[in-house]
Amino acid sequence: MPKPTVLVVDDEPDLVELVSLTLERMNLETRSAADVATAQRLLDSQHFDLCLTDMRLPDGDGLDLVEWIQRHHAKVPCAVITAHGNVESAVRALKVGAFDFVSKPLDLGNLRKLVSSAIRLAGRSGGETSSHAPRLLGESAAMRELREMIARVARSQAPVHISGESGTGKELVARLIHDSGPRTDGPFVPVNCGAIPTELMESEFFGHRRGSFTGAIADKKGLVQSAEGGTLFLDEVADLPLHMQVKLLRVIQEKTVRPIGEAREEPADVRVLSATHRHLAELVAEGRFREDLYYRINVIELRVPSLRERVEDIPVLATTILARLAYRARLEPPEIGPAAMQALQHYPFPGNVRELENVLERALTLCTGRAIEPAHIRLRSGFHLPEATAGANAGAAPADAAGAGLVNRLENTERDAIVRALEQTRYNKTAAAKLLGVSFRALRYRIRKLGIE
Ligand SMILES: Nc1ncnc2c1ncn2[C@@H]1O[C@H](COP(=O)(O)OP(=O)(O)OP(=O)(O)O)[C@@H](O)[C@H]1O
Ligand SMILES: [Mg+2]
């Protein structure tokens, strides 16, 4: 097999030599170019497995070269060398398609890691997911697009922020990004940022040295170090207290970590993915989330659509999830009868796929025959189905005149309850939702649906 070849683009001969020597010791072939035009000519004339470019070049900008490569040689992974501390340009490079960056003065250890993960990546067949990985189901346009985005961002090292309502599949998306990228053999470390007590956070994230505070009886490895060579997934990142946000910024920006009680910083090679169901930009505007961290973790944003936006995915999701639940319970999977399926497709699923799972789990327990019927589908209390399927949820035949009357009566009762709760809380929807025991989103949905002003 021929040696993988790397193109080094830089106009400083010393740096080119240092990089070339380092790479040749890794058993790689190198070529160099001192400007953009030469680099483009070389890229057009031979195959490269990686391009490593400086930002400032005599006849142009490293970013332009990154963009050009994206357009003309999209298969060649490209990384940039940035001036020390110039995070802005690193972020811009990631946004236009660079998969990673190293900063000057070059840390050769970091450079080696970057190169070896890029070369491993090039050898993989187009970021396919291994067959044992859970699949992201759904054939709606939105889901297809999401799967394409996942494949695309998987090869990059850029931080990705995953937004979407509760239960839409954000964690599943994060795992797929990890599994389909070059870090797949490294660890995937999910952290629920809302679940760690504030006073333990620093030690949990960065670790500590023995004796660095009362109770530190042994060295402890932090979550960042546990994710070395892999992915750190900051779930519910909006819950990070401000002082931790500053510290995490350093991990992302400098790629270093310092355990409590340790004098020196250690290099940290982790890819940071994050998620929240909250609106991060709004929290930034309110001063509850640091703007600088927001820009770093949000280099690429993926939005996972709610189930309401892709009702057409409900049948395949329901069928597959039910089969999985039945398999786990060692049961023959029942069918989902047409009326039950229709009921599922009419329900707005404020809790998204997770709620669909819960509904199906209950249905599986209630179902004794061979098919799931509307009577087995128990939705949130207070919810009723639109007229066409209203009777279905009550376990009777589809809507007749009596059914429609019942719907009206239920709607009136619900409207009264909501209006009363709103009045009691002086029209504070968050408080009213709490009072009614439903989520804010569910309340907002009902308010709109019932036409309450
Ligand atoms: N498109 C999908 N295909 C198959 N399963 C899915 C899909 N989306 C979500 N799921 C399943 O739904 C459940 C919830 O997904 P996940 O935990 O990833 O959601 P989340 O957005 O992180 O939720 P939360 O906001 O509650 O943390 C999981 O069991 C997941 O496997
Ligand atoms: Mg989650």
Side-chain angles (χ1 to χ4, degrees):
M1 230 173 78
K3 284 187 194 176
T5 314
V6 180
L7 175 62
V8 183
V9 189
D10 202 319
D11 59 333
E12 286 172 57
D14 290 351
L15 200 119
V16 171
E17 197 186 334
L18 176 69
V19 172
S20 303
L21 278 175
T22 310
L23 301 187
E24 275 153 27
R25 244 176 249 152
M26 294 172 73
N27 206 21
L28 301 170
E29 198 80 57
T30 64
R31 300 291 303 269
S32 68
D35 52 48
V36 175
T38 316
Q40 291 174 336
R41 207 155 1 95
L42 281 170
L43 283 156
D44 281 336
S45 66
Q46 77 171 87
H47 168 82
F48 285 99
D49 297 280
L50 168 67
C51 171
L52 199 58
T53 177
D54 194 15
M55 284 298 261
R56 214 167 308 153
L57 296 163
D59 59 341
D61 193 325
L63 286 183
D64 299 332
L65 183 59
V66 174
E67 267 183 297
W68 184 86
I69 291 177
Q70 289 299 105
R71 254 178 296 127
H72 299 274
H73 300 282
K75 289 237 165 77
V76 182
C78 188
V80 297
I81 305 169
T82 57
H84 175 72
N86 193 344
V87 185
E88 258 61 50
S89 66
V91 168
R92 262 185 296 140
L94 293 173
K95 276 196 195 284
V96 299
F99 79 94
D100 206 355
F101 65 92
V102 271
S103 50
K104 288 190 230 177
L106 280 185
D107 176 305
L108 294 181
N110 280 345
L111 177 68
R112 275 188 222 106
K113 276 183 204 153
L114 177 150
V115 171
S116 56
S117 82
I119 304 290
R120 228 185 302 141
L121 165 69
R124 293 166 58 83
S125 49
E128 275 169 37
T129 337
S130 43
S131 54
H132 63 265
R135 289 220 308 122
L136 194 63
L137 298 166
E139 289 306 322
S140 57
M143 284 320 268
R144 282 173 196 229
E145 199 181 312
L146 183 62
R147 277 198 297 268
E148 243 166 63
M149 284 294 287
I150 291 171
R152 208 162 339 132
V153 303
R155 54 181 279 180
S156 156
Q157 295 305 306
V160 176
H161 180 68
I162 305 159
S163 64
E165 292 179 12
S166 296
T168 44
K170 297 185 292 298
E171 178 156 358
L172 185 56
V173 167
R175 279 183 195 276
L176 290 173
I177 293 175
H178 170 82
D179 285 343
S180 13
R183 292 174 175 266
T184 178
D185 297 327
F188 176 84
V189 179
V191 185
N192 184 342
C193 298
I196 307 173
T198 312
E199 64 279 11
L200 293 182
M201 248 186 197
E202 189 174 351
S203 145
E204 286 293 322
F205 269 96
F206 308 125
H208 61 242
R209 290 282 166 260
R210 179 179 158 195
S212 52
F213 53 86
T214 335
I217 47 170
D219 282 4
K220 183 187 152 82
K221 192 166 156 184
L223 292 163
V224 174
Q225 291 93 331
S226 308
E228 180 67 22
T231 304
L232 183 68
F233 174 49
L234 304 173
D235 203 359
E236 294 312 338
V237 69
D239 293 343
L240 277 178
L242 286 164
H243 76 276
M244 279 305 294
Q245 293 180 18
V246 186
K247 297 200 159 137
L248 268 170
L249 190 60
R250 277 193 68 74
V251 174
I252 299 176
Q253 219 156 281
E254 314 288 332
K255 299 188 180 178
T256 56
V257 57
R258 193 167 67 80
I260 303 176
E262 170 65 59
R264 277 171 312 146
E265 310 236 297
E266 305 165 352
D269 171 34
V270 298
R271 183 183 194 186
V272 175
L273 304 179
S274 62
T276 177
H277 66 282
R278 305 195 14 216
H279 203 297
L280 261 196
E282 265 169 30
L283 297 176
V284 171
E286 291 163 12
R288 290 196 288 154
F289 199 85
R290 286 182 66 105
E291 192 173 17
D292 46 10
L293 182 61
Y294 173 70
Y295 283 116
R296 297 299 172 266
I297 62 174
N298 199 34
V299 169
I300 298 172
E301 177 166 359
L302 289 190
R303 198 181 80 86
V304 187
S306 69
L307 204 45
R308 290 185 300 293
E309 293 166 72
R310 46 185 174 107
V311 175
E312 66 265 44
D313 286 341
I314 289 180
V316 63
L317 276 168
T319 316
T320 319
I321 291 172
L322 187 66
R324 195 180 66 211
L325 292 170
Y327 176 80
R328 254 195 253 149
R330 292 162 197 260
L331 294 168
E332 194 66 28
E335 269 172 54
I336 303 177
M341 191 63 96
Q342 210 189 355
L344 290 175
Q345 283 177 285
H346 276 95
Y347 178 61
F349 284 105
N352 295 294
V353 185
R354 188 187 302 291
E355 186 174 4
L356 175 62
E357 282 180 349
N358 295 339
V359 167
L360 291 171
E361 192 153 26
R362 229 168 307 149
L364 187 63
T365 326
L366 294 172
C367 171
T368 46
R370 301 208 27 185
I372 306 265
E373 299 301 335
H376 305 134
I377 308 248
R378 302 280 163 86
L379 305 172
R380 288 189 192 199
S381 64
F383 183 83
H384 63 270
L385 295 162
E387 283 168 35
T389 51
N393 196 35
D400 48 18
L406 179 63
V407 169
N408 282 337
R409 239 183 302 157
L410 284 172
E411 280 196 350
N412 288 338
T413 314
E414 190 181 0
R415 189 179 285 112
D416 285 348
I418 292 176
V419 169
R420 224 173 309 130
L422 282 170
E423 281 168 358
Q424 265 177 47
T425 56
R426 299 203 187 148
Y427 301 94
N428 178 334
K429 283 184 206 153
T430 311
K434 210 176 258 172
L435 199 65
L436 290 164
V438 298
S439 74
F440 175 75
R441 269 173 209 286
L443 178 64
R444 201 174 52 185
Y445 178 86
R446 304 306 305 159
I447 288 177
R448 234 182 272 147
K449 179 126 199 196
L450 295 170
I452 302 171
E453 263 321 305

